[in-house]
Amino acid sequence: MEEVIRKYFRCWLDKDVAAVKEIFSDDIIYSECYGPVYKGNGQIIRWFEDWNRKGTVLQWEIKRVIVTGNTVVVEWYFKCDYEGNVDGFDGVTIAEFDDDVKICDLKEFQSKAEHYCPYEG
């Protein structure tokens, strides 16, 4: 499962729609961190192709991966250029896998705030 999730992150960096087609179950439910929900592999592919026409993922660094049962949790840093606006943020993905080792449910969560240590120094 960890290999599949790493492949998913790489496909955004490589703009590789063929990899996207292999990763998700037909009845995937994908919830992005800022609201949109995609249902089914067809919507995922359409979103991926639309997004990559307007944007480029500059960095999607995996900080930590936790695998438990059929669930993978990934802590990451994401940076992109979307229609000329460069932005980056920390986040977490929770992905559930089916018996065919395809992602059947994925939820992303974003940390918008800059992190700082108020009691240091």
Side-chain angles (χ1 to χ4, degrees):
M1 289 184 294
E2 183 175 342
E3 289 175 21
V4 174
I5 213 77
R6 288 184 182 278
K7 183 177 183 179
Y8 176 61
F9 279 54
R10 274 193 315 274
C11 78
W12 280 95
L13 292 162
D14 299 339
K15 297 188 177 195
D16 182 3
V17 73
V20 173
K21 293 175 182 178
E22 301 170 5
I23 291 168
F24 295 104
S25 69
D26 290 339
D27 58 352
I28 174 71
I29 297 176
Y30 190 121
S31 301
E32 279 199 87
C33 57
Y34 63 96
V37 176
Y38 310 103
K39 296 180 179 180
N41 216 351
Q43 287 187 10
I44 299 285
I45 292 163
R46 182 176 175 187
W47 161 58
F48 184 87
E49 291 175 337
D50 287 348
W51 195 97
N52 278 290
R53 274 193 284 276
K54 299 175 185 176
T56 298
V57 176
L58 303 171
Q59 181 180 358
W60 205 358
E61 174 192 342
I62 294 175
K63 296 179 179 184
R64 181 168 51 153
V65 178
I66 302 166
V67 179
T68 179
N70 67 337
T71 304
V72 177
V73 178
V74 185
E75 180 184 4
W76 43 261
Y77 175 76
F78 177 85
K79 184 176 181 181
C80 71
D81 179 337
Y82 192 78
E83 296 185 324
N85 298 314
V86 176
D87 192 18
F89 55 88
D90 291 309
V92 171
T93 295
I94 302 171
E96 293 196 31
F97 287 77
D98 64 15
D99 293 338
D100 296 323
V101 194
K102 291 188 180 249
I103 301 171
C104 58
D105 186 81
L106 189 145
K107 294 177 179 69
E108 292 178 344
F109 300 90
Q110 172 182 356
S111 174
K112 286 187 155 189
E114 291 294 322
H115 301 284
Y116 63 96
C117 300
Y119 298 108
E120 201 170 89

